[in-house]
Amino acid sequence: MANRRHDCMESYDTTDVAIIGAGPAGAAAAAWLARRGLRVRVIERSRFPRFSIGESLLPQCMVHLEACGLLEAAQAGGFQPKNGAAFTWRGRDTAIDFRDKFSPGPGATWQVERADFDQRLIEGARQAGAVVEFDTRVEAFVADAKRPSLTLVGPNGERRSLRAQFVLDASGYGRVLARLADLAQPSTLESRCALFTHVEDRIDCPKHDREKILIGLHPTHPGIWYWLIPFQRGRASLGVVGDRATLEAAGADDGERLWHFVHAEPRLAGLLTNAAAIRDIGCLEGYSADVRRLHGPGFALLGNAGEFLDPVFSSGVTIALDSALRAVPLVERQLAGDIVDWDQEFEQPLRRGVATFREFVDAWYDGRLPRIIFNEQQTPRIRAMISSVLAGYAWDENNPFVAASRRRLNSLAEACGGDATPAISEVG
C-alpha cells in the first residue's frame, strides 16, 4: 500500500511557485523567489536563446535588476549604454537626456539584443536555484487559491501535471492565462503594425549618438514613426510602425515596405545609406492587449501577459520587471500564511504606472507629445519631469506628470503651440 501511495504522489510534479515564461519578468520573479528559499519552476515554450523585440531598456529597469539580483549577470553582457532618446522630424532634431530627470534613480541603462540579454537573466535565475524547463508549453490551467495546477506538454509531446502553491504568468505575447482563464479584453489603443529587422548599420556620421534610441516621425504621413536602436559592434535594430493598410500600400512585401519608409525619412535615409539587413523582416501586428484583471485564485499576470501598450517609449520590459518585483513579495507572504489583497497591493498600483505610460502613448499619437518634445522652450524643471516618465519612473507620484498626466500634458501642449510642431495624427 505504501508503494502504491508513493507511485500516486509521483504521478505529478510539485513546486512552490510555477512561472510561465522565461523572459525578463519570469527570470526576475524566479531569481527573487529562489533566493528566498522557495522552490521555483519556470516553464518556457521556446528554446533559448531566442529573438525578441523590446530591445531598448529604460533606466528604471536597473533598479529592478538590482533588486532581484540579476544586475551583475546583465552587466556581464557588455551591452550598448543608453542615456536618452533622440527625435527627428523634417530635419529638426532634439533629444531627451535621462540623466537630467526629476525622479531619483539611475539615469542610464542599455540597448540590448534580447536573445543574449534574456539568456543571461534566466541563467542568473537558474544559478539562484530556479528550475527551468525549455521547449515545454502550458496546455491547461486550473485556478485554485491553495493548489493551482498546470498541464504541461514536453518537447516529445508527453503530458504531465505540475501543482504549485502559486502561479505567475510571465508568458509575454503568449498571454497564456489570459487565454486559458478567459481574461482577455480589447485594448483601448488602436491596432497598429510594426515591421522590423536587425542591420549592420555602417553609420559613419560623427554626430550620431549611439547612446540614445533614435525615434523618427515620417515627414508627411500620419501615424508613421520609426525606431533605430544602436547595439554594440556596429549593429542596430530598425523598425517602422503604422496602421497595416498604410504599410501594405508601400510595397509588395514587408521588406520592400520597411525600406520604402526608411528612405522617406531624411535623417534615417542618410544614416543608413550603407546599411545591410542581417535578419529577415519581422512583423508584429495587433500587439496592444489588456485583461479584465491581473490576478485570480492562486495566480497573477506579469508584464505583457496582462497588458501591453505600444513600443514607442520602450515601456514593455520596465512594466514587466516592475510587475514581477511587485508580485514576488506578495507571493512569499501568501505562501507564509498571510492574507494578501492582490487588488490593493498589486493590481491597482501597477495599473497606475501603466496608465501614466498610456497617457504618454496617447499624447504621442494625437500630436501633443511631439509638440512638447520638439519645443525646447520649457523650463529645465518641466523638461526633467518629462524625462523622468520617459526614463521609466512612471510610478513617481511626486512628479506632476505622473500624478496628473493628462491635465499636465494638455496644458503644456497648448502652451507649446502647434503651428510649427508635428502632430502625427494630423500631418499630411
Side-chain angles (χ1 to χ4, degrees), residues 111-386:
Q111 298 175 148
V112 302
E113 294 186 67
R114 286 283 301 278
D116 186 17
F117 179 74
D118 290 9
Q119 178 78 50
R120 291 177 183 278
L121 294 193
I122 198 60
E123 283 302 318
R126 179 182 276 168
Q127 291 173 17
V131 175
V132 185
E133 297 185 28
F134 294 105
D135 203 13
T136 301
R137 63 182 175 87
V138 177
E139 183 180 65
F141 169 66
V142 177
D144 187 273
K146 298 291 186 181
R147 185 64 70 176
S149 65
L150 302 169
T151 300
L152 308 180
V153 180
N156 297 315
E158 67 278 14
R159 285 177 173 77
R160 56 194 167 87
S161 178
L162 176 62
R163 297 184 183 179
Q165 296 184 64
F166 203 89
V167 174
L168 291 171
D169 184 4
S171 60
Y173 296 119
R175 300 183 182 111
V176 171
L177 294 193
R179 172 172 44 85
L180 295 178
D182 192 26
L183 297 173
Q185 69 178 11
S187 172
T188 59
L189 298 172
E190 293 182 19
S191 178
R192 295 183 175 89
C193 177
L195 304 178
F196 51 87
T197 188
H198 282 182
V199 297
E200 293 282 358
D201 60 60
R202 300 169 185 169
I203 295 173
D204 57 9
C205 175
K207 295 183 179 180
H208 180 58
D209 186 353
R210 298 191 73 88
E211 296 193 1
K212 291 180 174 63
I213 181 176
L214 176 60
I215 298 175
L217 286 76
H218 192 280
T220 60
H221 217 300
I224 300 291
W225 66 271
Y226 311 82
W227 77 70
L228 180 65
I229 303 171
F231 300 137
Q232 295 283 45
R233 299 177 296 279
R235 295 186 172 192
S237 174
L238 173 66
V240 60
V241 177
D243 67 278
R244 178 41 115 168
T246 301
L247 297 182
E248 284 187 342
D253 57 49
D254 285 341
E256 187 175 322
R257 294 160 189 154
L258 171 62
W259 290 104
H260 166 87
F261 281 107
V262 169
H263 293 149
E265 203 294 305
R267 185 171 176 190
L268 277 177
L271 289 173
L272 299 175
T273 298
N274 300 314
I278 54 176
R279 66 171 295 114
D280 292 340
I281 305 297
C283 176
L284 187 60
E285 186 173 7
Y287 40 73
S288 298
D290 199 359
V291 289
R292 294 195 304 278
R293 64 182 188 277
L294 294 172
H295 63 92
F299 72 90
L301 278 57
L302 307 181
N304 296 356
E307 182 174 6
F308 180 73
L309 298 174
D310 191 272
V312 64
F313 296 123
S314 308
S315 62
V317 175
T318 299
I319 293 171
L321 292 175
D322 188 273
S323 65
L325 270 296
R326 287 180 189 275
V328 287
L330 304 181
V331 172
E332 183 186 36
R333 281 175 45 203
Q334 183 161 311
L335 268 57
D338 289 354
I339 296 175
V340 174
D341 188 332
W342 280 88
D343 190 59
Q344 291 288 329
E345 299 182 64
F346 174 71
E347 177 150 358
Q348 290 191 32
L350 176 61
R351 285 198 186 267
R352 281 196 290 271
V354 174
T356 299
F357 281 124
R358 187 186 299 109
E359 290 293 345
F360 274 67
V361 170
D362 286 341
W364 173 258
Y365 282 105
D366 67 25
R368 286 173 294 153
L369 195 54
R371 190 175 303 131
I372 292 167
I373 288 172
F374 281 91
N375 186 315
E376 298 185 2
Q377 301 306 310
Q378 301 102 21
T379 67
R381 180 176 172 82
I382 289 179
R383 198 77 171 175
M385 292 174 182
I386 299 291

